[in-house]
Amino acid sequence: MSKGSDAAGSLQRSGFVVRKERLYGRLIAACAVLTIVVTVGIILALSGRALTFWSEVSPVAFFTGTQWSPIIDRTYGVLPLVSGTLIVTALSALIALPVGLAAAIYLSEYASDQVRSILKPALEILAGVPTVIYGYMALVYVTPLIDGFLPLSVRLIPSGVPLLPEFTLVMPSLRTFNALSASVVVGIMIIPMVSSISEDALSAVPDSLRQGGYGLGSTKFDVSTRIVVPSATSGIVASYVLAISRAIGETMAVTMAMGMSPQMPFFPNVLRNLAESSQTITAAMVQIAGADSLGGVTYEAMFALGMTLFAITLTMNVLAELVRRRFREEY
């Protein structure tokens, strides 16, 4: 009886250990609560000033206006800024998402341990480069390099096609500040985020799935693209969301490479939009913050832009979460 009591007592934790574990749990919970408090604080800080702005400027005029010139003409149409933001985000995503996923597949499925130990840190160095350097590179090197291949024309509808007019897409020479160079450097900037998180998701797929594919006679490429990648869809989608959110919120690189000339997209020659200067929401906020006057409607417009940007990223994250839950795999 005494031996059983001694064994049970040896399995019990001391009071000091119990109090220490409770303290750790409370500290971790406090960190989690702090993130929620900070998020709510940001929303409240933005919404208060944004509502003040919308009480003086009609929300309909703000969200449907096609002219943005808050400092000179006092016009507050946000559509040119939204279009500039979406152009950069879409084109940078077209560059970064496939390249980042391809790099992740190579690191996870093809590279040896020695090669992976060198390539992955080297790739992630791109994430540590200051964004102002990317803007400088776009302005000084990327724009002249791309402009050397321009102008180009692509005839989509040749002459002589019945019932359809002749139409040719023309890519003109690049302006000094342009959306194409900004999109290229932002795409390069977010590649490490896609590749690193996607590689972690691919590496987490159990080897039993790979061995089952090999047992059925699949090649390494088939196993990688048809078994491993679909099994890691939730993690890959998460990397896409984080990368696109980074592209939407990028400021310095697009300000230096893209300029500050907000304008609506050109149709039907959509390629002209890439050669022209434009402005994103974040660059417009920087411009307002750097203005001489820090009061009035123009200053409050900065908070309305912040709420608009927050709504765009929140909507994108909600949709991505729905996709992630739909394709989530548990092992």
Side-chain angles (χ1 to χ4, degrees), residues 87 152 167-175 177-180 263-278:
I87 287 173
L152 293 175
F167 179 70
T168 302
L169 275 178
V170 178
M171 181 66 184
S173 297
L174 300 181
R175 299 288 184 91
F177 302 101
N178 59 87
L180 180 57
Q263 53 188 325
M264 292 296 292
F266 300 99
F267 293 103
N269 186 26
V270 293
L271 293 182
R272 183 181 170 187
N273 298 298
L274 304 180
E276 298 287 337
S277 174
S278 189

Side-chain angles (χ1 to χ4, degrees), residues 121-271:
L123 186 62
E124 292 175 347
I125 288 176
L126 291 174
V129 177
T131 58
V132 67
I133 301 299
Y134 283 105
Y136 173 80
M137 296 291 291
L139 191 62
V140 177
Y141 296 105
V142 177
T143 295
L145 178 64
I146 297 176
D147 199 42
F149 299 94
L150 301 177
L152 293 175
S153 61
V154 180
R155 179 169 294 181
L156 297 182
I157 303 177
S159 59
V161 177
L163 304 178
L164 292 177
E166 179 182 354
F167 179 70
T168 302
L169 275 178
V170 178
M171 181 66 184
S173 297
L174 300 181
R175 299 288 184 91
T176 301
F177 302 101
N178 59 87
L180 180 57
S181 297
S183 302
V184 170
V185 295
V186 172
I188 295 173
M189 186 188 309
I190 63 178
I191 285 176
M193 189 173 295
V194 177
S195 62
S196 180
I197 300 176
S198 297
E199 194 270 335
D200 292 337
L202 295 173
S203 299
V205 175
D207 286 337
S208 58
L209 296 181
R210 297 180 177 87
Q211 299 303 326
Y214 291 136
L216 293 174
S218 300
T219 64
K220 193 174 189 66
F221 181 79
D222 290 334
V223 170
S224 300
T225 56
R226 298 186 180 183
I227 296 177
V228 179
V229 171
S231 300
T233 298
S234 60
I236 294 172
V237 170
S239 72
Y240 285 179
V241 172
L242 291 176
I244 294 175
S245 298
R246 171 71 187 279
I248 292 176
E250 177 51 39
T251 304
M252 186 55 65
V254 294
T255 301
M256 294 182 63
M258 196 175 181
M260 294 188 177
S261 301
Q263 53 188 325
M264 292 296 292
F266 300 99
F267 293 103
N269 186 26
V270 293
L271 293 182

